[in-house]
Amino acid sequence: MIFEMKSKKAAGGAGGTERGVPGALRYTQGRARVWLPSFPKISYTSLPSRHPSPQIVCFFTLLSSPPGATTVPPVSYSKETELKTTLIELLIYITFLVTLSLMTFGMVSTNMYYLNKVMEDLFVEQPYSESDGINFRSIRSHADFWKFAEGPLLDGLYWNTWYDNRTMTDLENTSYIFYENLLLGVAQIRQLKVRNNTCTIYPYFQPFLKSCYSHYSYEAEDKSDFGLKNETEWKYVSASSFSPWYWGSMGFYGSGGFIFTLPRSKQESMEKLAFLRKNGWITRGTRAVFIDFSTFNANINLFCIVRLVVEFPATGGALTSFQIQSVKLLRYVSYYDYFLASCEVAFCLFIVTFIIQEVIEITRLKMKYFRNAWNWLDMLLIMVSILAICFNIYRTIEVSLLMEDLLSNANVYPDFYFLAFWQVIYDNMIAVNVFFAWIKIFKYVSFSKTMTQLSSTLSRCAKDIIGFAIMFFIIFFAYAQFSYLVFGSQVNDFSTLQNCIFSQFRIVLGDFNFESLEVNSILGPIYYISFVFFVFFVLLNMFLAIINDTYSEVKADFAVIPNQELHITDLFRQSYNKALIKLKLRKPDTDLGDENLERSKEFPSTKGEDISKPSKAGSTHEKRHPKPPKLRKGKESHSNSVVASQSSVFPEEFQQLLRRTSELEKELNNANGKLRRIMKSMQQLKDTSGKTAQ
């Protein structure tokens, strides 16, 4: 294939490279030619005016193959076939997506939220009494912790009487929280400590301070026995290397520590807590206390794992946090659970099929496979799915093996936190998988012109967005560091650099309390006004301008492309007409006329003369390839539609042609400049020789 670009200002002369080399440019008699053998036949007669310069009129024409080149027969490509194939793939993928959605949504339910809410209200919000008003959130010292432990905690754990104070004889040594949630085993309380002299004291203060306890770290952790040293609560217990750590407000805490469990009787538990309080179980070196217990609700088949954490930082005081997780560890109980199991089997079959398809594509395309972003998304989905399947199998086996051991002794703490932690990791993994699975739908709706315009807009402005993002985050992080240094010690929203970043995003969205910045009456308003002006009014509008300008350009490019898109409604209409013919409810001739009419509308033929006819190359091409004899009138419209379908150009090819045209324009300008210099030099030589002859 050969591009032709005719210049209105071109002068005579020859230059450039020889014809026959792919991509070669030749400039002869005001016309530039480049051979591009990789593109099919095209029939565009104009380009957007913004790409070529006003001095150059561009048109494309199909010329004869270069001498010695192998002639490749034209490939007949049907938009209808492409659309049918895409729809079939889309239906298969939607089936996979529905299966994945059923499997994932079967893992969660609204009962989980309500169970978590009930436990939070009972153990976190409910106070001990009207006079003290101590609850978990209001703990601010060691004394407050003991009041909570001996009050609201024991009241919430032990439910041995009805609301009328009538003792339940059938619940002896068994606790049903809210009479529905069975307390599994007993509750456990664990603390982590740091050693003395783990921080450096300035020499001036060493005579006044004899002890120093730093913040918690694994290196500073105190593992030596203390206190009475005669029971397990005074001795350090190491944890398994696979036990998950806890990320608190002031540190990252391990799973070992000094541990004791509460008895099954409320009275005995109260006596034990009072004994530990009087003997100083919590010391100055205590940095975190964990309260763990688990419940099971047979009505909804859910385990609830509760962890209440009180941190005692090196600054003094106390910080509280909690984790309440409702998980479904026993997966297959009801008929609906077995239906979900069938969905899991179908999901595994889909993944195996996708793996085979990707392996075939990699074998066929080799390194070209990795140049497509959709292929990377496919590999990501497959990898996450394989991890989820493996983890689901591991989790099911572990639950079946550990369940009997955890419930065998009712007087020990069953560590369901380990299983709940990995169950949450599995849920997060599936959530990521579902998200990318939905994003992949865009791959199958690319036959729509609207979707193609959107994707072309994003791909074309990607470089501009990257450049804008660099400038945006430079300014954004400059403001974040400024706010952290100015307001970090006074305002909670700016207490850490991470909080500063999130707070600035809230300012952009308008969700921010300006009064908190009044701690600095000078820099506070300056920071707020300048940030809103530069980031909100300037940078965000620049971002929108980049998107809008690129979308306008893409829309203008698509406006010059003939509408050769076969819509889904047209395909359904054709299928409907064919079905009517098979059922003998419509005559074939009528249907054929309708089809020809639709095809003529969908693929309009050029009524005027072809742009290649006035050119010499076009006449040469006609001589080398004589036209076939005219067909009958009955087949003329069908032939035109077939030719039009063979000569169709897709948007991606057209965009590549536009880029090639821009490159040709630059080379033509360079050639024109060289020709001018040559003509000028020849004129100077001619003038010099004339003067010499005289």
Side-chain angles (χ1 to χ4, degrees):
M1 177 187 173
I2 296 178
F3 265 155
E4 284 199 352
M5 299 180 63
K6 181 183 286 185
S7 174
K8 290 183 178 179
K9 297 177 62 178
T17 57
E18 290 297 326
R19 181 183 177 187
V21 182
L25 176 69
R26 189 176 182 183
Y27 187 83
T28 57
Q29 298 180 356
R31 178 172 298 176
R33 298 182 179 182
V34 61
W35 177 41
L36 303 176
S38 59
F39 288 90
K41 181 180 178 181
I42 60 176
S43 60
Y44 292 115
T45 60
S46 63
L47 288 175
S49 59
R50 63 182 181 84
H51 286 280
S53 65
Q55 301 174 352
I56 298 177
V57 178
C58 301
F59 62 88
F60 305 143
T61 181
L62 180 65
L63 302 181
S64 58
S65 302
T70 305
T71 303
V72 180
V75 180
S76 178
Y77 193 80
S78 174
K79 291 288 290 184
E80 180 179 353
T81 304
E82 179 200 11
L83 186 57
K84 287 182 178 179
T85 305
T86 306
L87 287 177
I88 292 174
E89 293 179 356
L90 179 59
L91 290 176
I92 295 175
Y93 187 75
I94 288 178
T95 304
F96 163 75
L97 194 59
V98 170
T99 303
L100 178 61
S101 300
L102 288 175
M103 183 185 71
T104 53
F105 289 130
M107 297 162 44
V108 296
S109 67
T110 55
N111 293 325
M112 293 182 175
Y113 169 77
Y114 292 121
L115 181 56
N116 292 342
K117 183 63 177 176
V118 165
M119 293 297 176
E120 180 181 347
D121 292 340
L122 177 62
F123 291 99
V124 178
E125 304 294 343
Q126 182 172 323
Y128 172 56
S129 64
E130 296 182 359
S131 59
D132 294 331
I134 295 296
N135 60 14
F136 180 74
R137 289 189 185 275
S138 62
I139 296 177
R140 294 295 178 267
S141 63
H142 298 84
D144 291 342
F145 170 78
W146 289 113
K147 289 180 181 179
F148 167 77
E150 298 177 23
L153 178 62
L154 296 184
D155 291 341
L157 288 176
Y158 299 99
W159 292 63
N160 298 325
T161 59
W162 284 100
Y163 56 88
D164 56 357
N165 294 326
R166 189 163 39 89
T167 304
M168 295 179 293
T169 57
D170 55 337
L171 297 181
E172 184 178 0
N173 293 329
T174 303
S175 176
Y176 280 88
I177 300 176
F178 283 115
Y179 311 111
E180 300 293 344
N181 302 278
L182 174 64
L183 179 63
L184 301 177
V186 294
Q188 171 186 278
I189 299 180
R190 173 174 62 95
Q191 74 160 320
L192 291 172
K193 301 173 56 181
V194 294
R195 299 187 305 272
N196 188 12
N197 299 324
T198 51
C199 52
T200 303
I201 303 176
Y202 199 74
Y204 292 165
F205 293 93
Q206 289 180 358
F208 307 100
L209 300 174
K210 301 301 181 182
S211 60
C212 180
Y213 298 87
S214 69
H215 63 276
Y216 176 83
S217 63
Y218 182 76
E219 294 77 12
E221 185 176 358
D222 186 5
K223 300 182 180 180
S224 60
D225 299 345
F226 75 105
L228 302 180
K229 300 182 181 180
N230 56 350
E231 298 292 340
T232 56
E233 53 263 27
W234 309 99
K235 299 179 180 180
Y236 185 85
V237 178
S238 300
S240 172
S241 58
F242 296 100
S243 299
W245 285 37
Y246 180 81
W247 195 345
S249 302
M250 302 298 296
F252 200 50
Y253 302 100
S255 300
F258 301 90
I259 303 172
F260 73 92
T261 57
L262 296 177
R264 298 185 64 83
S265 171
K266 181 178 181 180
Q267 183 62 32
E268 294 178 0
S269 299
M270 188 174 298
E271 293 174 356
K272 187 166 188 176
L273 289 173
F275 173 78
L276 294 175
R277 173 171 53 83
K278 292 177 182 179
N279 288 275
W281 188 70
I282 295 180
T283 65
R284 281 189 59 192
T286 301
R287 288 293 173 259
V289 178
F290 298 84
I291 303 173
D292 297 297
F293 58 92
S294 305
T295 65
F296 175 71
N297 191 312
N299 303 331
I300 53 179
N301 188 27
L302 288 179
F303 289 83
C304 186
I305 292 86
V306 181
R307 167 165 286 186
L308 308 176
V309 183
V310 181
E311 298 177 70
F312 299 99
T315 59
L319 300 174
T320 59
S321 60
F322 61 93
Q323 281 186 353
I324 302 178
Q325 301 170 348
S326 295
V327 294
K328 188 176 182 180
L329 298 178
L330 303 177
R331 298 294 303 278
Y332 311 113
V333 177
S334 62
Y335 291 108
Y336 181 69
D337 295 334
Y338 287 105
F339 168 73
L340 295 178
S342 63
C343 293
E344 293 176 356
V345 174
F347 173 76
C348 296
L349 295 178
F350 273 113
I351 295 302
V352 172
T353 304
F354 292 157
I355 292 175
I356 296 175
Q357 290 179 351
E358 298 305 317
V359 170
I360 294 175
E361 288 190 13
I362 293 175
T363 305
R364 181 171 58 89
L365 300 177
K366 295 181 172 59
M367 296 305 298
K368 293 182 179 179
Y369 173 87
F370 300 98
R371 299 175 184 175
N372 192 339
W374 292 114
N375 294 335
W376 285 98
L377 180 60
D378 293 338
M379 290 191 298
L380 178 63
L381 283 174
I382 291 175
M383 292 175 60
V384 176
S385 300
I386 292 175
L387 290 176
I389 292 172
C390 296
F391 184 81
N392 191 21
I393 296 173
Y394 168 77
R395 188 272 318 275
T396 304
I397 296 175
E398 285 295 321
V399 169
S400 61
L401 294 176
L402 296 177
M403 189 66 67
E404 184 176 356
D405 295 337
L406 293 175
L407 300 178
S408 58
N409 190 350
N411 295 318
V412 299
Y413 164 72
D415 188 10
F416 282 96
Y417 183 81
F418 172 78
L419 297 177
F421 174 81
W422 290 108
Q423 175 66 34
V424 172
I425 297 297
Y426 170 74
D427 294 343
N428 296 338
M429 191 184 307
I430 289 295
V432 173
N433 198 4
V434 172
F435 173 79
F436 286 112
W438 279 99
I439 295 299
K440 189 182 174 182
I441 292 182
F442 288 104
K443 176 182 179 180
Y444 298 100
V445 295
S446 58
F447 55 82
S448 173
K449 183 178 181 180
T450 303
M451 301 305 301
T452 306
Q453 287 181 355
L454 296 178
S455 61
S456 300
T457 301
L458 295 178
S459 61
R460 181 178 294 187
C461 67
K463 293 182 179 179
D464 295 333
I465 291 179
I466 292 174
F468 167 80
I470 294 174
M471 178 179 62
F472 175 83
F473 283 108
I474 288 175
I475 298 176
F476 192 85
F477 283 115
Y479 273 101
Q481 189 170 2
F482 174 85
S483 61
Y484 176 63
L485 296 176
V486 175
F487 312 111
S489 60
Q490 302 292 330
V491 184
N492 182 38
D493 291 335
F494 297 94
S495 58
T496 63
L497 186 61
Q498 181 181 1
N499 289 346
C500 292
I501 294 173
F502 288 127
S503 297
Q504 290 188 162
F505 278 115
R506 290 175 56 195
I507 293 176
V508 173
L509 298 176
D511 178 24
F512 187 75
N513 182 18
F514 174 75
E515 296 179 356
S516 61
L517 299 181
E518 292 182 352
V519 295
N520 193 318
S521 59
I522 298 177
L523 294 179
I526 294 176
Y527 161 78
Y528 184 81
I529 294 173
S530 61
F531 178 80
V532 171
F533 176 78
F534 286 108
V535 175
F536 184 78
F537 290 106
V538 178
L539 293 181
L540 289 185
N541 283 282
M542 287 179 59
F543 175 75
L544 296 177
I546 292 173
I547 299 294
N548 291 333
D549 184 62
T550 308
Y551 182 74
S552 300
E553 293 178 359
V554 171
K555 197 171 183 180
D557 292 345
F558 276 77
V560 302
I561 301 178
N563 187 16
Q564 298 178 349
E565 181 181 330
L566 185 64
H567 298 280
I568 299 179
T569 55
D570 300 330
L571 180 62
F572 287 160
R573 188 184 299 113
Q574 293 178 10
S575 302
Y576 173 73
N577 293 334
K578 292 178 182 179
L580 292 180
I581 294 174
K582 292 182 179 180
L583 296 175
K584 298 182 179 180
L585 298 177
R586 175 177 291 187
K587 295 181 180 180
D589 296 336
T590 304
D591 181 71
L592 181 60
D594 294 341
E595 277 194 23
N596 292 334
L597 180 60
E598 292 174 0
R599 290 184 179 180
S600 63
K601 291 180 180 179
E602 187 67 31
F603 306 107
S605 59
T606 305
K607 293 182 180 180
E609 292 183 351
D610 184 67
I611 197 166
S612 63
K613 288 182 180 180
S615 65
K616 296 180 180 181
S619 60
T620 307
H621 175 65
E622 291 177 0
K623 291 178 181 180
R624 293 182 182 178
H625 301 277
K627 294 183 179 179
K630 294 184 178 180
L631 301 176
R632 291 177 297 176
K633 295 182 179 180
K635 298 182 179 180
E636 185 175 358
S637 61
H638 179 71
S639 176
N640 290 338
S641 64
V642 172
V643 173
S645 64
Q646 293 178 358
S647 63
S648 61
V649 177
F650 299 106
E652 295 81 2
E653 298 175 350
F654 187 68
Q655 297 297 330
Q656 190 168 358
L657 292 176
L658 292 180
R659 290 192 294 270
R660 293 289 184 91
T661 305
S662 300
E663 296 174 0
L664 290 175
E665 180 185 0
K666 294 178 181 178
E667 296 193 15
L668 282 175
N669 291 333
N670 294 333
N672 284 331
K674 292 179 180 179
L675 285 174
R676 293 191 193 97
R677 290 193 294 270
I678 293 174
M679 296 298 296
K680 187 175 181 180
S681 300
M682 292 177 64
Q683 185 65 31
Q684 292 177 354
L685 291 174
K686 183 178 179 181
D687 295 341
T688 304
S689 61
K691 293 179 180 180
T692 304
Q694 292 177 358

